[in-house]
Amino acid sequence: DIEEDAIIQAWTDAQEQNPPNCLHVRIIRAKEVKAMDWALLSTPKSDPVCRLTMGDQTQSTKVIRSSVNPVWDQSFVFNCHKASSLLELLVQDEDRFLLGAVKSHDFIGKVQVRIGELRRGPHRTWFELQAKDTGGGMSRFAGDLNICERGLVEVFLDWKFDPSRPAGATPRRSSSHERAPSTPSMPA
């Protein structure tokens, strides 16, 4: 695809002359996420978790209990060779029943980021969490941090070349929801 080639060429690392092959994502925090848990005599709250998906690669932050302003500060790495790749951040409220034996997740909001639309180089930005039915490409960058229905999420993104990641590698999936995920290991 000519458009894909042009985007990748523009992102080529000047020193190494290699196209980007991985996306570094740091989920820093969220601000004023929608409260999903209501109690009669207490302030509404949520137990937010952020699930990151790129193609068949899925990773997850830890759950932050009783907060509408969670701080995760967790880093993830995804194999990413195409500018057309889409990163989805799905923020959910986790509920536990029967002493934690049963979990359910309520949708709070999502962000979809098309990798080729990212600014060149590492950067930190706020995204507005969108409703389920919001389609299309890049989610809105948060302009006014004070007006947002579902909340905001602060993210650090860097699409770059990493010589330790082979061109055609497939990462192992992470399914842990309670502990901080580690960087996916790569086959030798």
Side-chain angles (χ1 to χ4, degrees):
D1 180 277
I2 293 173
E3 183 178 322
E4 181 83 14
D5 291 343
I7 292 171
I8 288 177
Q9 184 61 39
W11 277 83
T12 298
D13 184 276
Q15 191 175 30
E16 298 292 327
Q17 293 300 309
N18 291 309
N21 63 352
C22 68
L23 179 68
H24 290 257
V25 181
R26 183 172 147 218
I27 304 297
I28 300 167
R29 61 187 167 153
K31 178 181 178 183
E32 298 177 10
V33 298
K34 188 172 182 176
M36 304 300 284
D37 300 333
W38 296 79
L40 188 59
L41 298 175
S42 67
T43 305
K45 57 185 169 46
S46 286
D47 301 315
V49 60
C50 184
R51 302 199 193 296
L52 301 83
T53 303
M54 179 177 285
D56 64 351
Q57 305 169 75
T58 300
Q59 299 186 55
S60 180
T61 66
K62 61 189 174 207
V63 176
I64 304 296
R65 300 277 171 218
S66 302
S67 179
V68 293
N69 295 299
V71 176
W72 291 290
D73 199 19
Q74 289 182 260
S75 296
F76 306 88
V77 180
F78 291 92
N79 286 334
C80 181
H81 306 278
K82 294 186 172 191
S84 60
S85 296
L86 192 67
L87 172 68
E88 182 175 84
L89 308 176
L90 175 64
V91 178
Q92 297 175 305
D93 170 57
E94 182 178 277
D95 293 316
R96 292 176 166 214
F97 305 98
L98 302 173
L99 301 174
V102 178
K103 296 179 188 176
S104 72
H105 294 90
D106 300 317
F107 178 86
I108 294 175
K110 71 178 181 178
V111 172
Q112 292 181 328
V113 180
R114 187 161 314 282
I115 303 310
E117 294 176 13
L118 292 174
R119 185 177 66 190
R120 175 91 165 96
H123 61 285
R124 185 173 176 164
T125 190
W126 287 93
F127 289 102
E128 181 177 342
L129 292 172
Q130 303 292 312
K132 279 184 187 179
D133 57 358
T134 303
M138 184 75 122
S139 289
R140 288 189 311 193
F141 287 100
D144 184 347
L145 297 182
N146 296 315
I147 302 171
C148 184
E149 179 184 334
R150 298 184 168 274
L152 303 161
V153 63
E154 187 179 18
V155 182
F156 169 87
L157 298 162
D158 189 13
W159 188 34
K160 65 182 184 179
F161 176 73
D162 182 345
S164 70
R165 292 186 165 266
T170 302
R172 204 177 65 210
R173 285 182 138 185
S174 171
S175 61
S176 169
H177 305 298
E178 289 297 317
R179 63 180 171 77
S182 59
T183 302
S185 60
M186 304 306 300

